[in-house]
Amino acid sequence: MKLSKKVLTVLHGAHRIDVFEDKGILAKDQVDRGVVDRQLRKRMRPKDAQVKVLADDAARVAAEAIERLIQGEQARKESAKKAQLRRTRLQTKKASDRAALPISRAALMFSEDKWDPAAAQDIVRAGMGAIIASFQGQRPVGIAFSDIDVDHGTLAFELGAGSSSILGIATCSASDVETPFASRIMERVVAEVNRHTQSHPDVRFKWVLILGPGRVRVCLAELDAAHLSAVQKTTDKVGRFLLGSITAHAAFSEPWRLGSDPSMKWCDDIRRWRIDCYNSIAKKTRVFYAPRVPLFVSQSFFGRFTRCFRVSEMPDDENFAYVLKDSWQLVLAGLSDGQLRDEINVLREIQAKMERVNFEACRLQHLECGGTVQVNDKRDSTRFVLGTELDSYQRLEMTHGSDSSAHEHRVHRRMVSGPVGTPLHELRVQDAVTAVASAMLAHALVLEQTGVLHRDISEGNIMAVRDDDSNVKGVLIDFDNAVSQDEERNRSNPGHVGTPPFKSIANLEGLDVPRTAVDDWEAALALIVFRMADSKSGDKLADQLSKVDRNGTATLRRKMFASGKSFDDAVKTYAKGACAKEKSAREFGFIRDLYAAIFAHSACSGTTRRKKGGEFVDPILRRVQFAAEIHEKCLAVVTRYLAPPPPASTESPVPQHPPHPPTSTTPAGMTLLTSSGLGVKQNKRKPEAKASPVVKQRKVAHDSVGSSSHPAPAPAPATVPPQYSRTVSADDEMLEKELAPPRPVKRKASQEDVEASSQPKRHKLARDDVDIAPINSEVGSPTCSPETHSHASSSSRASSDSARTLDRVVTDAERISRPGKRKPSQEDPPVASSRKKRKS
């Protein structure tokens, strides 16, 4: 990678490399190089005055030890050169090699000769060991090597142990140290910091030592950037003192100056983390205890660096009733704790406004305590770590709606909340869908009662719990990105908010429209489809849902949600395993109804841009105008899905049939997503007989005889939570009309139809294979009972030819529509006697 002289000048001096999504970017607004060097040396030294004197003495001793090694190496080289000149030409090359003095590996680390990758570990071990040995009697410091990359000539090591250790990156080339941004050194620094923090969740920042042949520089890795000192040569006095200072820093400085969190300590006697949580309202600190393995640790240290623990208030309590969340929030400079718009204050606002409803029944996240972490009685923040001069720069990640010219910094926040839930990926499909649906009910309740919009519906932000009746409920957590809906409407350029696989199309593309509840409903739909996908195709589906092309358009996602058919095809492709199970038929009907409610609105259906009036109209942009209607329809779909089935009636003798799979009406062009279309084997049955209304009425009367004198009571309607009970509005009726299948058009009867209706017809019953001609009204017909005969004879004398056989048709229809033989009853006509009379 070729760099200009201006860039090389910047890289050789002290500079800052911004880190965003684990990628290093050379910052444009660089601070003065002298300020960076001065602040790094200041942050490197211990805070205590007496310990500071000891550390400075140790640094000078280490620098002198390095100087002696370099001088000894130079003396050996000069003596070897003189000895070689005194040898005669008759000496062989082998004897000359034996006469040359061997080069010390410790001294080779401080020389400018390129290292052998195979011997790099021995060189660093010998060189750093010589420095540590110079003040070993005062305080011991260990060195351990973690990873060696022989192909690229780099290796990683660690000075000290635990969260207060100093990471080291050594390279075999001096140019890599001089230009870490252009080489792989910066990538290695980011990777090593992420690897170290996965096993040490009590890290606040990290010191990194970068070594090379005769080169050294120091790096301070914080949550948004890496601050590097200028390159120093170990042959110079400044370079030797810098290397000695960082080594003495590892031995003498306080742990919190090395990046450890003093409010989080590991107790070997009880095998628990002891974590202090400061309550900013009560102005008190509460102590909680957590097991060694956290519930969650962010894969990247750079950013919020979120960690979650299961905690209890007693050290020996195995029932961990709360969840502790520790993260670094990005806020505007100069705001107090009460003015921060973060999860802690949002939850306090929600709890204060929702006291009039049953808070526990909604299974919302309940805040126990929370506030800013205190380090030496001061608010822990990046300004406390770096100082005002280094911390005054613009982060690449900005808070939602903040001005690009405003300076922001991160504040260390910690909160304890409940209840403790189960992640969605540990549940079966039916329970996961139920948890998401109930969490969205809570989402709608919070929006209605407080006006707070969550804006980050994802797999990690919904937990599952069970109520007293062992029913699965979803708990909506993580209100970090939550904002007031009124503020969102008046805000321009909302940006990209949410978790990538579950972001809405507007958030993926960064459309300049306000975010509404419909974006959260779309994220919930993507989450349900993702949970129903197979394990093998889940990663592929996540890429499809979050992929954006060069123009910033989510082409694949728009194609997936463009129409009902494309949505069905995507579900069949990625959820083959769940499609093969009959138990998931109800869930498939639910996601179809939810898709129709979100994307089938008559004014903004689908996701395809259409040309109208010479301009392209985007339905995603138009959807904002109808957000309230779509939100109500989605809420109705979820309420119907979560409504309990009607209780079985004990008075009716008719057995209760199992509920049919959900087969809702669909818009035009949308295929039914039933189990038969998803590869489920079903028993093929013949279509039931379609009897006339008269037949149905007679059959119901016949079945009710002798069973009960009172008709069976109607099933009780499905119960709906009182906070969501609503009447059917005109919008719901309009939606049903839109989603209903087209009715057959009745045409006017032609002259031929009129003539054909006047002719005698063959009456066709419900069974297609049985045709019955007009029945003769002769007395004593074998197909009529005495009551029917008398009624038919009387009606035939009083009516026309077209209506005289209606009752006989009904009687024969009842007889033929019942397949198989049956036992004769007392009401049946005497068949044998009627035949004898006919013969006679």
Side-chain angles (χ1 to χ4, degrees):
M1 183 177 181
K2 294 183 179 180
L3 301 174
S4 62
K5 292 183 179 180
K6 184 177 180 180
V7 175
L8 286 174
T9 303
V10 174
L11 295 180
H12 288 178
H15 62 281
R16 185 184 82 250
I17 296 178
D18 294 333
V19 182
F20 183 69
E21 295 181 354
D22 290 345
K23 295 180 180 179
I25 302 172
L26 186 62
K28 296 181 179 179
D29 54 336
Q30 294 289 343
V31 187
D32 185 76
R33 290 181 292 178
V35 173
V36 177
D37 279 330
R38 184 173 63 252
Q39 288 295 324
L40 289 179
R41 293 194 192 99
K42 180 180 179 180
R43 302 293 163 182
M44 193 185 305
R45 303 176 67 187
K47 188 69 175 178
D48 187 81
Q50 296 181 357
V51 180
K52 187 183 299 183
V53 174
L54 294 176
D56 292 342
D57 293 340
R60 282 191 290 269
V61 170
E64 293 174 358
I66 297 172
E67 185 177 3
R68 287 195 299 270
L69 286 174
I70 295 174
Q71 292 177 356
E73 180 60 29
Q74 292 177 353
R76 279 192 291 270
K77 285 183 178 181
E78 292 178 359
S79 61
K81 188 182 296 185
K82 292 178 181 179
Q84 187 176 4
L85 292 176
R86 288 197 297 267
R87 294 187 190 95
T88 60
R89 296 179 180 178
L90 298 177
Q91 285 181 322
T92 61
K93 187 177 183 298
K94 187 175 181 180
S96 176
D97 293 340
R98 282 199 308 265
L101 296 175
I103 300 177
S104 172
R105 289 187 182 275
L108 187 61
M109 182 180 129
F110 310 109
S111 65
E112 297 185 1
D113 299 334
K114 190 174 182 179
W115 299 344
D116 183 9
Q121 180 175 346
D122 297 334
I123 294 172
V124 175
R125 188 188 299 274
M128 296 304 300
I131 299 174
I132 295 172
S134 62
F135 52 87
Q136 186 69 38
Q138 300 180 13
R139 187 166 297 184
V141 176
I143 181 171
F145 293 87
S146 58
D147 189 14
I148 302 173
D149 189 356
V150 180
D151 297 335
H152 297 92
T154 59
L155 61 93
F157 60 94
E158 188 174 348
L159 292 175
S163 58
S164 59
S165 62
I166 294 178
L167 301 180
I169 304 295
T171 177
C172 298
S173 176
S175 60
D176 292 344
V177 182
E178 295 174 350
T179 58
F181 175 72
S183 61
R184 295 176 57 88
I185 295 300
M186 201 59 220
E187 298 178 8
R188 192 68 188 272
V189 169
V190 172
E192 286 300 317
V193 171
N194 289 336
R195 179 197 61 80
H196 180 79
T197 53
Q198 287 294 309
S199 56
H200 298 86
D202 56 333
V203 172
R204 298 163 51 237
F205 58 91
K206 210 65 194 170
W207 288 97
V208 183
L209 176 63
I210 303 176
L211 290 176
R215 302 290 189 275
V216 62
R217 74 189 317 169
V218 178
C219 172
L220 176 59
E222 46 107 354
L223 297 152
D224 292 288
H227 305 266
L228 290 90
S229 66
V231 180
Q232 301 294 340
K233 295 183 178 180
T234 53
T235 55
D236 299 338
K237 184 178 181 180
V238 178
R240 292 194 296 268
F241 186 79
L242 177 63
L243 184 56
S245 298
I246 192 67
T247 311
H249 178 52
F252 291 94
S253 290
E254 298 87 354
W256 64 271
R257 296 283 283 183
L258 298 175
S260 180
D261 189 352
S263 63
M264 184 185 301
K265 298 179 181 179
W266 173 253
C267 304
D268 289 326
D269 52 347
I270 60 175
R271 307 295 297 173
R272 290 283 191 273
W273 286 104
R274 185 185 183 276
I275 307 176
D276 300 335
C277 185
Y278 180 74
N279 193 346
S280 58
I281 300 297
K283 305 296 182 182
K284 295 181 180 179
T285 300
R286 296 176 60 179
V287 180
F288 295 89
Y289 298 90
R292 186 173 187 86
V293 180
L295 278 175
F296 171 80
V297 178
S298 179
Q299 296 181 357
S300 175
F301 168 76
F302 298 92
R304 294 183 181 181
F305 189 42
T306 303
R307 292 137 293 157
C308 297
F309 297 83
R310 295 178 297 125
V311 296
S312 63
E313 294 193 83
M314 300 300 295
D316 55 349
D317 189 3
E318 296 294 337
N319 183 20
F320 301 100
Y322 304 106
V323 175
L324 184 143
K325 180 179 179 181
D326 190 291
S327 61
W328 291 76
Q329 300 295 326
L330 192 62
V331 299
L332 291 173
L335 296 180
S336 61
D337 289 351
Q339 297 173 337
L340 300 180
R341 188 67 181 178
D342 65 338
E343 184 177 12
I344 297 175
N345 291 335
V346 169
L347 286 177
R348 283 175 177 154
E349 177 185 351
I350 292 174
Q351 291 181 188
K353 292 183 178 180
M354 294 186 65
E355 290 179 351
R356 59 183 179 272
V357 300
N358 192 349
F359 190 86
E360 293 295 333
C362 300
R363 293 293 175 182
L364 293 173
Q365 186 181 8
H366 177 73
L367 179 66
E368 187 69 17
C369 66
T372 303
V373 177
Q374 303 292 312
V375 176
N376 293 341
D377 297 333
K378 294 183 179 180
R379 298 172 71 227
D380 192 17
S381 63
T382 53
R383 184 145 299 182
F384 177 71
V385 173
L386 299 174
T388 306
E389 294 178 319
L390 288 184
D391 192 55
S392 300
Y393 70 94
Q394 182 62 47
R395 266 76 175 175
L396 294 180
E397 180 185 354
M398 295 186 299
T399 55
H400 178 69
S402 62
D403 188 7
S404 59
S405 61
H407 293 294
E408 299 174 321
H409 67 285
R410 293 195 180 270
V411 178
H412 193 183
R413 302 280 279 177
R414 185 175 294 163
M415 57 173 281
V416 176
S417 62
V420 179
T422 303
L424 294 182
H425 63 83
E426 298 181 6
L427 304 176
R428 61 192 185 104
V429 173
Q430 290 79 7
D431 291 341
V433 175
T434 303
V436 175
S438 61
M440 291 308 296
L441 275 185
H443 173 279
L445 180 62
V446 171
L447 184 62
E448 178 184 357
Q449 297 287 338
T450 66
V452 174
L453 189 64
H454 189 275
R455 300 196 314 154
D456 192 10
I457 304 297
S458 61
E459 185 180 20
N461 292 343
I462 295 178
M463 294 291 172
V465 296
R466 291 191 180 273
D467 57 10
D468 299 335
D469 299 331
S470 298
N471 298 322
V472 176
K473 300 291 184 181
V475 180
L476 188 62
I477 63 173
D478 195 358
F479 284 80
D480 281 337
N481 292 319
V483 295
S484 175
Q485 192 176 23
D486 297 335
E487 296 177 3
E488 185 69 17
R489 291 172 183 169
N490 302 325
R491 185 174 290 164
S492 61
N493 191 17
H496 308 269
V497 185
T499 306
F502 315 107
K503 285 182 180 179
S504 63
I505 296 176
N507 280 321
L508 275 175
E509 299 180 354
L511 300 180
D512 191 9
V513 290
R515 303 296 182 257
T516 61
V518 182
D519 295 278
D520 286 354
W521 284 109
E522 183 182 344
L525 177 62
L527 172 58
I528 295 174
V529 176
F530 178 77
R531 286 302 311 139
M532 298 182 72
D534 303 332
S535 57
K536 295 182 180 179
S537 58
D539 296 337
K540 184 179 180 181
L541 177 60
D543 295 338
Q544 298 284 346
L545 292 174
S546 57
K547 197 170 185 179
V548 180
D549 59 12
R550 297 179 180 178
N551 300 325
T553 305
T555 307
L556 297 176
R557 183 149 185 172
R558 281 182 177 268
K559 183 178 179 181
M560 185 181 301
F561 295 128
S563 63
K565 185 178 183 306
S566 61
F567 179 71
D568 289 351
D569 294 341
V571 173
K572 294 177 184 178
T573 301
Y574 295 106
K576 295 180 181 178
C579 292
K581 300 178 181 178
E582 295 184 2
K583 294 181 180 179
S584 302
R586 185 167 177 264
E587 282 67 33
F588 281 110
F590 168 61
I591 63 174
R592 292 196 60 267
D593 293 343
L594 190 58
Y595 170 85
I598 299 173
F599 293 100
H601 195 279
S602 58
C604 52
S605 61
T607 58
T608 306
R609 297 183 175 94
R610 301 177 181 88
K611 195 170 184 179
K612 187 176 181 180
E615 297 180 355
F616 284 95
V617 178
D618 191 350
I620 303 299
L621 298 178
R622 294 199 62 188
R623 194 172 64 180
V624 181
Q625 305 174 12
F626 310 95
E629 301 177 16
I630 297 175
H631 172 66
E632 293 295 331
K633 294 174 184 177
C634 294
L635 185 59
V637 171
V638 172
T639 306
R640 288 196 302 267
Y641 174 76
L642 294 177
S649 178
T650 58
E651 299 180 3
S652 176
V654 181
Q656 296 292 333
H657 299 284
H660 295 285
T663 54
S664 60
T665 56
T666 57
M670 193 171 194
T671 58
L672 283 178
L673 217 150
T674 57
S675 57
S676 60
L678 299 176
V680 180
K681 296 183 180 180
Q682 292 185 338
N683 298 328
K684 296 183 179 180
R685 297 183 300 178
K686 293 183 179 180
E688 297 181 357
K690 298 181 180 179
S692 63
V694 181
V695 175
K696 293 181 180 179
Q697 185 176 3
R698 293 283 181 87
K699 189 172 182 180
V700 171
H702 174 72
D703 293 339
S704 61
V705 174
S707 60
S708 177
S709 59
H710 301 282
T719 59
V720 182
Q723 62 270 23
Y724 294 111
S725 61
R726 60 184 75 248
T727 58
V728 180
S729 61
D731 297 334
D732 295 334
E733 294 179 356
M734 183 179 64
L735 175 63
E736 294 180 358
K737 292 181 180 179
E738 293 174 359
L739 301 182
R743 297 181 179 179
V745 181
K746 295 183 180 180
R747 62 184 181 87
K748 295 182 178 180
S750 62
Q751 185 65 26
E752 297 177 357
D753 297 337
V754 175
E755 295 176 358
S757 62
S758 63
Q759 298 178 2
K761 299 181 181 180
R762 297 177 61 85
H763 297 271
K764 189 172 183 180
L765 296 183
R767 290 181 57 179
D768 298 332
D769 56 347
V770 179
D771 291 336
I772 299 180
I775 300 177
N776 189 8
S777 60
E778 185 181 354
V779 180
S781 176
T783 58
C784 298
S785 61
E787 295 83 355
T788 311
H789 164 67
S790 61
H791 177 71
S793 61
S794 61
S795 63
S796 63
R797 290 190 298 269
S799 61
S800 62
D801 294 338
S802 61
R804 59 191 176 86
T805 58
L806 176 60
D807 289 0
R808 296 187 181 183
V809 172
V810 171
T811 307
D812 287 355
E814 293 179 357
R815 189 184 304 275
I816 297 175
S817 61
R818 299 192 185 111
K821 298 181 179 180
R822 66 180 181 89
K823 296 181 180 180
S825 62
Q826 296 179 0
E827 299 178 358
D828 291 339
V831 179
S833 61
S834 63
R835 289 179 180 175
K836 290 180 182 180
K837 291 180 181 180
R838 188 175 183 181
K839 288 180 181 180
S840 63

